[in-house]
Amino acid sequence: MCPEIMREVAGKFEFVCDAVLNDYICLAVKEEEYPGIKANIGSKTTGKLYTGISDEGVDRLDVFEGEYYQRTEVMVEDIDGTKYMADTYMFRDKYSDFLCSIEWDFQDFEKNGKKLFEDNYFGWKELAE
């Protein structure tokens, strides 16, 4: 969702646009600043579509996202309705108890949680090792 964090983790990318993922919901993770996506028929979640990420960048994303997430290919669409196959990181079912019942709010993250996330998220340490 956040281009600055994506660039820090994955490096360069060529394209960013807003995208919608149908039949999935983005929920807050208990006691964390970051979200988890899971299937939920009838829901829509918005995000960013990035292209041009190198294989090394994808490997770094896999490490950064950690064990709670599984990279999964999904169909997303842009604001014009153009559909794309894209990878996203779904929250693994075995960790679903860590998800809240409330939707995660990106604007709230930018305003209140981003700095805390950047200061405390253990994924940064994993990337450095």
Side-chain angles (χ1 to χ4, degrees), residues 4-107:
E4 301 85 11
I5 292 173
M6 177 63 89
R7 188 167 290 107
E8 183 76 22
V9 175
K12 290 175 49 176
F13 46 85
E14 297 170 0
F15 178 73
V16 175
C17 72
D18 292 326
V20 174
L21 177 59
N22 291 306
D23 296 323
Y24 289 86
I25 192 167
C26 186
L27 298 172
V29 175
K30 293 176 184 173
E31 300 180 24
E32 298 293 352
E33 302 302 321
Y34 53 83
I37 298 171
K38 73 173 197 168
N40 192 54
I41 302 299
S43 293
K44 290 183 179 187
T45 191
T46 59
K48 306 284 185 200
L49 178 64
Y50 299 91
T51 63
I53 298 171
S54 69
D55 290 342
E56 179 185 348
V58 172
D59 290 344
R60 288 176 56 87
L61 282 165
D62 288 344
V63 170
F64 178 77
E65 294 296 343
E67 69 179 282
Y68 291 173
Y69 299 88
Q70 178 174 343
R71 184 165 28 106
T72 305
E73 190 174 50
V74 296
M75 176 77 67
V76 299
E77 49 185 87
D78 68 14
I79 194 166
D80 297 323
T82 304
K83 295 182 180 190
Y84 302 88
M85 292 305 296
D87 287 339
T88 192
Y89 288 87
M90 296 292 171
F91 212 73
R92 294 180 189 267
D93 287 340
K94 69 181 180 179
Y95 298 113
S96 63
D97 288 346
F98 297 144
L99 293 173
C100 297
S101 59
I102 60 169
E103 291 189 49
W104 184 74
D105 185 303
F106 180 65
Q107 285 76 25

Side-chain angles (χ1 to χ4, degrees), residues 110-129:
E110 284 191 305
K111 183 178 178 183
N112 300 309
K114 183 178 174 190
K115 176 77 168 111
L116 185 62
F117 173 80
E118 291 172 331
D119 289 347
N120 297 317
Y121 183 58
F122 69 89
W124 298 119
K125 180 178 180 293
E126 303 265 331
L127 287 175
E129 293 177 349

